[in-house]
Amino acid sequence: MHREALVVLVGGLLACEGSASSTTQDPSNPTGAGTEAGDEAHEPASECATAPVCSADALCEVTSCGGKTAAFNHFGCARTTCEADVDCMPTESCYPRAMGASCLPSSETCNEDDGSCGCVVTQDCSGVLGAHCLPTEFYPVDGYCDVGAFTCDTMAEWQAGLRAALAHHEGAGRAELVERLSSCSVTVADARSACGESPCALLCGLSECEGTDASACVAACEGSPLDATELQASILALAARGAPSCVCEICESGSACEATWGC
């Protein structure tokens, strides 16, 4: 989440300012433009909180409209940012954007000129730290964590974004978002295990023990007396945490786990 180039999108053409690099957009809309079929197609346009900056057709030619992670809905209305459900309309809930993508722009500014819509989009990936309101009729809260939208190869990057967002919202005391992100991170850890990832590699990848070498961590894990159940329990416990954490912090005093990691 350290990319700082800008991408300028005008009338369907893309031009870069600075050193552009790729960004992982909404997996259901990888081109970054157009409307996701079946999102909130029946949501009344009159519900826009503020007037759209461009006509929907012009805007949606150059940037993503609709779908959970998009900054604009099906009608080109800017989504309302939030820190909790109370910031949204009664028919909406606050959606942490990291639950749907591993990299999203932190800023997307659009304006229309002579019928052509132009957008300036940052490529710093910090947009995954944000949250916005979604209509629960079209986006139920229990569907926020869409593991099926990711492959085994992309889950590690997604989980890194989830944990960064979890730490960010945990530090700000946003309990609702923390609960949603924590639950999703655990779900992803389970899915990564099902993908056949080495439990020790997964555990050490989630652990942030100060001064611990990753290869030494894996070696210690592989040589430990911990069984598969204990390893998986440790993986899920670490996945649920946002603050920098070490495997030692989840071990019970005097356990084989503590002895293995030299706590």
Side-chain angles (χ1 to χ4, degrees), residues 4 15-17 40 53 60 67 132 139 143 169-170 175 189 213 217 220-221 223 244 256:
E4 297 180 354
C16 298
E17 296 181 352
E40 69 270 32
V53 292
C60 297
H132 57 218
Y139 302 107
H169 294 299
E170 193 172 61
D213 176 73
C217 173
C221 175

Side-chain angles (χ1 to χ4, degrees), residues 22-119:
S22 63
T23 181
T24 304
Q25 298 290 344
D26 185 335
S28 62
N29 191 359
T31 63
T35 300
E36 181 184 345
D39 52 13
E40 69 270 32
H42 303 291
E43 183 181 351
S46 59
E47 289 187 5
C48 295
T50 57
V53 292
C54 301
S55 67
D57 288 344
L59 177 70
C60 297
E61 281 185 3
V62 294
T63 192
S64 180
C65 293
K68 292 190 290 290
T69 63
F72 302 94
N73 74 5
H74 176 79
F75 291 99
C77 307
R79 297 204 189 279
T80 302
T81 59
C82 56
E83 296 184 358
D85 288 350
V86 70
D87 299 327
C88 304
M89 298 289 288
T91 56
E92 299 175 325
S93 294
C94 190
Y95 169 75
R97 299 178 78 198
M99 292 180 75
S102 58
C103 179
L104 290 166
S106 61
S107 176
E108 193 167 353
T109 306
C110 303
N111 289 287
E112 189 165 6
D113 184 23
D114 293 331
S116 180
C117 189
C119 298

Side-chain angles (χ1 to χ4, degrees), residues 144-256:
Y144 279 178
C145 188
D146 187 8
V147 177
F150 292 83
T151 67
C152 290
D153 291 337
T154 59
M155 281 188 189
E157 184 180 2
W158 181 30
Q159 187 158 55
L162 282 169
R163 283 168 59 77
L166 179 53
H168 174 74
H169 294 299
E170 193 172 61
R174 298 165 188 158
E176 285 176 329
L177 302 188
V178 168
E179 181 180 358
R180 287 166 190 171
L181 287 161
S182 178
S183 176
C184 188
S185 184
V186 169
T187 298
V188 177
D190 251 340
R192 290 179 65 188
S193 295
C195 283
E197 288 197 46
S198 160
C200 287
L202 181 52
L203 178 66
C204 292
L206 291 170
S207 183
E208 301 177 25
C209 304
E210 185 176 354
T212 299
D213 176 73
S215 59
C217 173
V218 172
C221 175
E222 291 176 344
S224 75
L226 303 180
D227 61 25
T229 300
E230 290 174 309
L231 281 174
Q232 187 64 10
S234 297
I235 288 168
L236 299 184
L238 283 171
R241 300 182 59 166
S245 52
C246 176
V247 68
C248 296
E249 296 175 27
I250 60 171
C251 291
E252 296 179 3
S253 178
S255 69

